[in-house]
Amino acid sequence: MPNGELRIVGQNRRLLEILTLILVIGLGLLIRKEMIWYVSRDWTGYFQIWMEEIGQNGFRALAGDFYDYAPAYMYFLVIAAGFGEKSMVAMKLISVGFDLVLSAGAGLVAHELKKSKVHAMFAFSIVWLAPTVISNSSMWGQCDAIYCSFLILTVLFLLKEKGRLAMIFFGIAFAFKLQALFWLPVIILLWLYKKIKTIDLLWIPAMYLVSIIPAWLDGRPFLSLLGVYFDQTGVDVNRLSMKYPNIYYIIGELNLPQWYSGAGKLFAIGVILLFMVAMIYKLMHTKLTPELLLLIFYSQGSLALYFLPQMHERYGFFLEVLAIILAVLNIKLFWVPVLHILITFITYSYYYNFDQPKNIPIFILSVFMLGIMMFMVYLTVTYDKEERTNEKEA
């Protein structure tokens, strides 16, 4: 029989949910506050220099080519630069704000699938308190939460079967980070199955074009703005992997990068193409359920990151969010985000402590990541709606 009423809230579940969210958000903010004054190498090597340039010339500085990030993010840095000596904190707080957006998006996706406030609350809370999410914004000062916020909104509106809105948000994600294109094959797959209209695909380049207009009007050449992402692909070519635990740490990240880089990209495209063909055949006789769509998103991203060269440790950020949502939907998968986030957080620590020996070789982490990827790809390829339904009913 029930245990009776709780202290303070009684049997008011809504009040309990509100208090829980307040505690979770407050705790997440306190943890971030402890880390926010950390000065990363990215700050001293890039962001601080950019801030000084913006501080001297204001918005007009964006007419120059001193930055290699998308203009959409640079507009946020213009705001942060206005805080002078506290510009680093201001920059980080912008990303922290998007941590909240990302967490809310994860909660909305869980609610869309389960129609349950409890599931939504757990998805929100776990993403908000995930070590990599906290560290990425408040300690490292990176902006992965921004483009991933728009990616999670892309997933949300795909689940709602609102293709146009989904493509608008995917276009915004691309306008902030090139890495959004890791999931372009999934978009193409959905287009093939008429889940997305052809005309709505135009929103992807359209949102990028809209995002560069202010910088173009400010004086930076239009072709230069179009080539920002091409310039990014030309850096970090001296190594096959930049601490992302993938196949290149198994064969050696410093092993003939000038020969393996191009071949590795073509090989990755081949692997992704085979996976997409497998999904095309699968969807000929299997209904595209929301859970299967999430599995495809995760598997596609994990294959791209595992086989593409020059991947950074931060690039699996969206995969971790997807893994959390999948685990909230199916508790049997809870080990996936736990292990994935643990592996990523270890690689984060190697970035922070670059002059210290590595406790666990990235080779070992790459083997574990291979195991996670193979399991999730297998789960995706063998997914059976009726079998999953029987499991849940049991």
Side-chain angles (χ1 to χ4, degrees), residues 47 50-51 54 59 62 66-80 176 220:
F47 296 127
W50 298 352
M51 289 288 195
I54 295 170
F59 193 85
L62 299 188
F66 62 91
Y67 55 94
D68 62 355
Y69 269 40
Y73 181 60
M74 298 303 296
Y75 305 146
F76 283 128
L77 292 193
V78 171
I79 297 173
F176 276 100
R220 184 163 179 177

mmCIF file of all heavy atoms in Angstrom, residues 47 50-51 54 59 62 66-80 176 220:
data_model
loop_
_atom_site.group_PDB
_atom_site.id
_atom_site.type_symbol
_atom_site.label_atom_id
_atom_site.label_comp_id
_atom_site.label_asym_id
_atom_site.label_seq_id
_atom_site.Cartn_x
_atom_site.Cartn_y
_atom_site.Cartn_z
ATOM 1 N N PHE A 47 40.742 32.288 -28.480
ATOM 2 C CA PHE A 47 39.636 33.159 -28.099
ATOM 3 C C PHE A 47 40.091 34.495 -27.524
ATOM 4 O O PHE A 47 39.510 35.545 -27.823
ATOM 5 C CB PHE A 47 38.710 32.456 -27.088
ATOM 6 C CG PHE A 47 38.034 31.236 -27.644
ATOM 7 C CD1 PHE A 47 38.109 30.015 -26.992
ATOM 8 C CD2 PHE A 47 37.321 31.302 -28.834
ATOM 9 C CE1 PHE A 47 37.488 28.890 -27.503
ATOM 10 C CE2 PHE A 47 36.690 30.184 -29.360
ATOM 11 C CZ PHE A 47 36.780 28.968 -28.685
ATOM 12 N N TRP A 50 41.180 36.740 -30.299
ATOM 13 C CA TRP A 50 40.008 37.216 -31.042
ATOM 14 C C TRP A 50 39.275 38.296 -30.255
ATOM 15 O O TRP A 50 38.829 39.305 -30.822
ATOM 16 C CB TRP A 50 39.063 36.063 -31.338
ATOM 17 C CG TRP A 50 39.652 34.984 -32.198
ATOM 18 C CD1 TRP A 50 40.859 35.003 -32.842
ATOM 19 C CD2 TRP A 50 39.068 33.719 -32.512
ATOM 20 N NE1 TRP A 50 41.067 33.834 -33.525
ATOM 21 C CE2 TRP A 50 39.990 33.020 -33.349
ATOM 22 C CE3 TRP A 50 37.875 33.098 -32.172
ATOM 23 C CZ2 TRP A 50 39.722 31.749 -33.838
ATOM 24 C CZ3 TRP A 50 37.605 31.824 -32.664
ATOM 25 C CH2 TRP A 50 38.531 31.161 -33.486
ATOM 26 N N MET A 51 39.167 38.088 -28.943
ATOM 27 C CA MET A 51 38.490 39.068 -28.087
ATOM 28 C C MET A 51 39.218 40.412 -28.108
ATOM 29 O O MET A 51 38.590 41.476 -28.142
ATOM 30 C CB MET A 51 38.417 38.551 -26.651
ATOM 31 C CG MET A 51 37.448 37.399 -26.446
ATOM 32 S SD MET A 51 35.727 37.914 -26.549
ATOM 33 C CE MET A 51 34.948 36.463 -25.834
ATOM 34 N N ILE A 54 38.428 42.139 -31.347
ATOM 35 C CA ILE A 54 37.066 42.671 -31.320
ATOM 36 C C ILE A 54 36.978 43.856 -30.364
ATOM 37 O O ILE A 54 36.309 44.859 -30.644
ATOM 38 C CB ILE A 54 36.064 41.571 -30.905
ATOM 39 C CG1 ILE A 54 36.026 40.471 -31.972
ATOM 40 C CG2 ILE A 54 34.662 42.154 -30.711
ATOM 41 C CD1 ILE A 54 35.253 39.233 -31.552
ATOM 42 N N PHE A 59 32.406 45.511 -33.703
ATOM 43 C CA PHE A 59 31.820 44.597 -34.686
ATOM 44 C C PHE A 59 32.550 44.662 -36.027
ATOM 45 O O PHE A 59 32.594 43.681 -36.765
ATOM 46 C CB PHE A 59 30.335 44.941 -34.879
ATOM 47 C CG PHE A 59 29.572 43.881 -35.625
ATOM 48 C CD1 PHE A 59 29.045 42.790 -34.962
ATOM 49 C CD2 PHE A 59 29.398 43.972 -37.006
ATOM 50 C CE1 PHE A 59 28.342 41.806 -35.657
ATOM 51 C CE2 PHE A 59 28.707 42.993 -37.709
ATOM 52 C CZ PHE A 59 28.172 41.906 -37.021
ATOM 53 N N LEU A 62 34.983 41.911 -37.487
ATOM 54 C CA LEU A 62 34.577 40.702 -38.186
ATOM 55 C C LEU A 62 34.788 40.800 -39.693
ATOM 56 O O LEU A 62 34.610 39.826 -40.424
ATOM 57 C CB LEU A 62 33.113 40.378 -37.889
ATOM 58 C CG LEU A 62 32.779 40.118 -36.411
ATOM 59 C CD1 LEU A 62 31.352 39.620 -36.272
ATOM 60 C CD2 LEU A 62 33.747 39.123 -35.788
ATOM 61 N N PHE A 66 40.823 36.955 -39.193
ATOM 62 C CA PHE A 66 41.640 36.457 -38.090
ATOM 63 C C PHE A 66 41.007 35.261 -37.387
ATOM 64 O O PHE A 66 41.645 34.582 -36.596
ATOM 65 C CB PHE A 66 41.881 37.582 -37.064
ATOM 66 C CG PHE A 66 40.628 38.108 -36.423
ATOM 67 C CD1 PHE A 66 40.137 37.574 -35.246
ATOM 68 C CD2 PHE A 66 39.930 39.151 -37.025
ATOM 69 C CE1 PHE A 66 38.979 38.062 -34.666
ATOM 70 C CE2 PHE A 66 38.769 39.657 -36.446
ATOM 71 C CZ PHE A 66 38.290 39.105 -35.262
ATOM 72 N N TYR A 67 39.739 35.003 -37.647
ATOM 73 C CA TYR A 67 39.031 33.910 -36.972
ATOM 74 C C TYR A 67 38.682 32.816 -37.979
ATOM 75 O O TYR A 67 38.476 33.079 -39.157
ATOM 76 C CB TYR A 67 37.750 34.427 -36.309
ATOM 77 C CG TYR A 67 36.795 35.156 -37.244
ATOM 78 C CD1 TYR A 67 35.750 34.483 -37.869
ATOM 79 C CD2 TYR A 67 36.942 36.520 -37.505
ATOM 80 C CE1 TYR A 67 34.872 35.144 -38.717
ATOM 81 C CE2 TYR A 67 36.066 37.196 -38.352
ATOM 82 C CZ TYR A 67 35.032 36.494 -38.952
ATOM 83 O OH TYR A 67 34.174 37.161 -39.804
ATOM 84 N N ASP A 68 38.632 31.565 -37.470
ATOM 85 C CA ASP A 68 38.269 30.454 -38.358
ATOM 86 C C ASP A 68 37.019 29.736 -37.862
ATOM 87 O O ASP A 68 36.733 28.612 -38.301
ATOM 88 C CB ASP A 68 39.431 29.469 -38.507
ATOM 89 C CG ASP A 68 39.829 28.820 -37.188
ATOM 90 O OD1 ASP A 68 39.271 29.204 -36.136
ATOM 91 O OD2 ASP A 68 40.704 27.932 -37.202
ATOM 92 N N TYR A 69 36.273 30.370 -36.941
ATOM 93 C CA TYR A 69 34.966 29.849 -36.535
ATOM 94 C C TYR A 69 33.897 30.477 -37.420
ATOM 95 O O TYR A 69 34.113 31.512 -38.050
ATOM 96 C CB TYR A 69 34.687 30.172 -35.065
ATOM 97 C CG TYR A 69 35.138 29.097 -34.101
ATOM 98 C CD1 TYR A 69 36.341 28.428 -34.296
ATOM 99 C CD2 TYR A 69 34.388 28.766 -32.979
ATOM 100 C CE1 TYR A 69 36.773 27.454 -33.402
ATOM 101 C CE2 TYR A 69 34.807 27.793 -32.084
ATOM 102 C CZ TYR A 69 36.001 27.133 -32.309
ATOM 103 O OH TYR A 69 36.425 26.174 -31.427
ATOM 104 N N ALA A 70 32.732 29.849 -37.450
ATOM 105 C CA ALA A 70 31.631 30.394 -38.241
ATOM 106 C C ALA A 70 31.228 31.763 -37.706
ATOM 107 O O ALA A 70 31.257 32.000 -36.497
ATOM 108 C CB ALA A 70 30.436 29.438 -38.194
ATOM 109 N N PRO A 71 30.848 32.688 -38.590
ATOM 110 C CA PRO A 71 30.449 34.030 -38.154
ATOM 111 C C PRO A 71 29.323 34.019 -37.119
ATOM 112 O O PRO A 71 29.279 34.886 -36.252
ATOM 113 C CB PRO A 71 29.999 34.693 -39.461
ATOM 114 C CG PRO A 71 30.755 33.990 -40.523
ATOM 115 C CD PRO A 71 30.868 32.569 -40.067
ATOM 116 N N ALA A 72 28.426 33.032 -37.213
ATOM 117 C CA ALA A 72 27.298 32.976 -36.271
ATOM 118 C C ALA A 72 27.787 32.966 -34.827
ATOM 119 O O ALA A 72 27.215 33.645 -33.957
ATOM 120 C CB ALA A 72 26.431 31.751 -36.553
ATOM 121 N N TYR A 73 28.852 32.216 -34.545
ATOM 122 C CA TYR A 73 29.388 32.182 -33.185
ATOM 123 C C TYR A 73 30.150 33.455 -32.853
ATOM 124 O O TYR A 73 30.142 33.922 -31.707
ATOM 125 C CB TYR A 73 30.298 30.973 -32.996
ATOM 126 C CG TYR A 73 30.860 30.884 -31.592
ATOM 127 C CD1 TYR A 73 30.015 30.765 -30.493
ATOM 128 C CD2 TYR A 73 32.236 30.941 -31.362
ATOM 129 C CE1 TYR A 73 30.521 30.693 -29.199
ATOM 130 C CE2 TYR A 73 32.748 30.865 -30.082
ATOM 131 C CZ TYR A 73 31.880 30.745 -28.996
ATOM 132 O OH TYR A 73 32.376 30.688 -27.728
ATOM 133 N N MET A 74 30.799 34.034 -33.847
ATOM 134 C CA MET A 74 31.562 35.261 -33.611
ATOM 135 C C MET A 74 30.664 36.407 -33.157
ATOM 136 O O MET A 74 31.103 37.292 -32.421
ATOM 137 C CB MET A 74 32.334 35.656 -34.866
ATOM 138 C CG MET A 74 33.364 34.641 -35.326
ATOM 139 S SD MET A 74 34.600 34.237 -34.059
ATOM 140 C CE MET A 74 35.413 35.821 -33.850
ATOM 141 N N TYR A 75 29.400 36.401 -33.564
ATOM 142 C CA TYR A 75 28.481 37.445 -33.105
ATOM 143 C C TYR A 75 28.313 37.369 -31.589
ATOM 144 O O TYR A 75 28.189 38.395 -30.914
ATOM 145 C CB TYR A 75 27.121 37.311 -33.796
ATOM 146 C CG TYR A 75 27.195 37.317 -35.311
ATOM 147 C CD1 TYR A 75 26.313 36.570 -36.081
ATOM 148 C CD2 TYR A 75 28.161 38.074 -35.981
ATOM 149 C CE1 TYR A 75 26.378 36.564 -37.467
ATOM 150 C CE2 TYR A 75 28.241 38.076 -37.373
ATOM 151 C CZ TYR A 75 27.350 37.313 -38.105
ATOM 152 O OH TYR A 75 27.420 37.311 -39.482
ATOM 153 N N PHE A 76 28.308 36.142 -31.047
ATOM 154 C CA PHE A 76 28.243 35.976 -29.592
ATOM 155 C C PHE A 76 29.521 36.505 -28.936
ATOM 156 O O PHE A 76 29.470 37.080 -27.841
ATOM 157 C CB PHE A 76 28.039 34.508 -29.229
ATOM 158 C CG PHE A 76 26.638 34.005 -29.426
ATOM 159 C CD1 PHE A 76 26.395 32.865 -30.164
ATOM 160 C CD2 PHE A 76 25.550 34.661 -28.860
ATOM 161 C CE1 PHE A 76 25.100 32.393 -30.346
ATOM 162 C CE2 PHE A 76 24.256 34.208 -29.037
ATOM 163 C CZ PHE A 76 24.027 33.060 -29.785
ATOM 164 N N LEU A 77 30.654 36.292 -29.609
ATOM 165 C CA LEU A 77 31.914 36.775 -29.037
ATOM 166 C C LEU A 77 31.968 38.300 -29.028
ATOM 167 O O LEU A 77 32.621 38.891 -28.154
ATOM 168 C CB LEU A 77 33.104 36.211 -29.815
ATOM 169 C CG LEU A 77 33.348 34.704 -29.710
ATOM 170 C CD1 LEU A 77 34.732 34.353 -30.256
ATOM 171 C CD2 LEU A 77 33.201 34.199 -28.280
ATOM 172 N N VAL A 78 31.304 38.933 -29.980
ATOM 173 C CA VAL A 78 31.219 40.397 -29.966
ATOM 174 C C VAL A 78 30.513 40.855 -28.687
ATOM 175 O O VAL A 78 30.927 41.821 -28.037
ATOM 176 C CB VAL A 78 30.470 40.912 -31.211
ATOM 177 C CG1 VAL A 78 30.188 42.409 -31.088
ATOM 178 C CG2 VAL A 78 31.289 40.636 -32.476
ATOM 179 N N ILE A 79 29.453 40.148 -28.317
ATOM 180 C CA ILE A 79 28.732 40.471 -27.070
ATOM 181 C C ILE A 79 29.639 40.231 -25.870
ATOM 182 O O ILE A 79 29.740 41.070 -24.968
ATOM 183 C CB ILE A 79 27.459 39.614 -26.959
ATOM 184 C CG1 ILE A 79 26.493 39.939 -28.100
ATOM 185 C CG2 ILE A 79 26.785 39.834 -25.605
ATOM 186 C CD1 ILE A 79 25.292 39.020 -28.166
ATOM 187 N N ALA A 80 30.321 39.064 -25.852
ATOM 188 C CA ALA A 80 31.195 38.724 -24.719
ATOM 189 C C ALA A 80 32.345 39.710 -24.583
ATOM 190 O O ALA A 80 32.742 40.074 -23.464
ATOM 191 C CB ALA A 80 31.724 37.304 -24.884
ATOM 192 N N PHE A 176 26.508 27.160 -37.205
ATOM 193 C CA PHE A 176 27.404 27.319 -36.055
ATOM 194 C C PHE A 176 28.605 26.382 -36.108
ATOM 195 O O PHE A 176 29.702 26.762 -35.701
ATOM 196 C CB PHE A 176 26.633 27.070 -34.751
ATOM 197 C CG PHE A 176 25.891 28.280 -34.256
ATOM 198 C CD1 PHE A 176 24.539 28.409 -34.489
ATOM 199 C CD2 PHE A 176 26.546 29.293 -33.583
ATOM 200 C CE1 PHE A 176 23.843 29.531 -34.045
ATOM 201 C CE2 PHE A 176 25.877 30.415 -33.133
ATOM 202 C CZ PHE A 176 24.508 30.538 -33.370
ATOM 203 N N ARG A 220 33.814 41.709 -44.755
ATOM 204 C CA ARG A 220 34.580 40.512 -45.108
ATOM 205 C C ARG A 220 34.065 39.976 -46.448
ATOM 206 O O ARG A 220 32.853 39.852 -46.651
ATOM 207 C CB ARG A 220 34.454 39.436 -44.037
ATOM 208 C CG ARG A 220 35.323 38.214 -44.336
ATOM 209 C CD ARG A 220 35.547 37.322 -43.150
ATOM 210 N NE ARG A 220 36.355 36.168 -43.511
ATOM 211 C CZ ARG A 220 36.770 35.227 -42.664
ATOM 212 N NH1 ARG A 220 36.444 35.331 -41.382
ATOM 213 N NH2 ARG A 220 37.503 34.206 -43.064
#
